[in-house]
């Protein structure tokens, strides 16, 4: 939810990354995980969790696993799709694409009927 709040503030409402981060942090709220309905905790706002939130835990794991480097590479690859070459490659690969499993199952059914 935190990431979606951030993304919507940047993409839909044209907020700066700093404004979006501040907004998402101010609305941050965790839940008490249960089997049926997980009730929200009373604390609202990332600052109320004093660096002991699930988000902080995930960020720490990401740092330990060098997630920053992987994210930069992923972002770069994703941006390639927005270039002229990337769009041309996408059209080429999708226009000629075929479902390989469908082709295989058709070939199998044809060989079974012979």
């Amino acid at each position: 939810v935190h990431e979606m709040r951030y993304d919507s503030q940047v993409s839909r409402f044209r907020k700066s990354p700093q404004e979006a981060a501040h907004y998402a942090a101010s609305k941050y709220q965790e839940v008490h995980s249960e089997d049926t309905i997980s009730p929200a905790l009373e604390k609202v706002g990332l600052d109320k969790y004093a660096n002991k939130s699930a988000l902080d835990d995930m960020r720490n794991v990401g740092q330990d696993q060098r997630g920053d480097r992987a994210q930069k590479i992923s972002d770069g690859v994703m941006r390639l799709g927005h270039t002229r070459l990337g769009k041309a490659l996408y059209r080429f690969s999708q226009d000629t694409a075929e479902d390989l499993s469908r082709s295989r199952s058709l070939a199998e059914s044809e060989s079974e009927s012979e």
Side-chain angles (χ1 to χ4, degrees):
V1 174
H2 178 78
E3 290 81 8
M4 293 304 298
R5 282 193 178 113
Y6 174 86
D7 287 340
S8 70
Q9 290 295 304
V10 171
S11 62
R12 293 181 62 209
F13 302 109
R14 306 289 183 222
K15 301 285 177 128
S16 72
Q18 294 81 10
E19 290 172 307
H22 177 60
Y23 175 80
S26 73
K27 301 294 184 185
Y28 184 86
Q29 188 174 23
E30 294 188 2
V31 298
H32 176 70
S33 185
E34 293 184 9
D35 284 344
T36 54
I37 297 173
S38 297
L41 298 179
E42 291 184 20
K43 293 190 271 186
V44 177
L46 194 53
D47 59 325
K48 304 284 190 301
Y49 290 85
N51 296 325
K52 294 181 181 172
S53 69
L55 181 61
D56 290 312
D57 292 344
M58 287 185 274
R59 286 177 175 164
N60 291 335
V61 168
Q63 285 177 340
D64 291 346
Q65 296 177 348
R66 303 236 4 185
D68 56 335
R69 184 171 181 266
Q71 187 65 49
K72 285 178 185 175
I73 292 169
S74 176
D75 289 348
V77 169
M78 295 303 289
R79 278 194 298 277
L80 290 175
H82 298 287
T83 64
R84 255 179 42 195
L85 177 61
K87 290 175 182 177
L89 287 171
Y90 177 81
R91 281 192 304 275
F92 173 77
S93 67
Q94 295 306 305
D95 289 344
T96 61
E98 63 179 77
D99 184 346
L100 297 177
S101 63
R102 185 173 184 275
S103 299
R104 204 174 11 236
S105 61
L106 284 174
E108 289 171 0
S109 64
E110 287 174 358
S111 67
E112 288 175 0
S113 63
E114 293 176 356

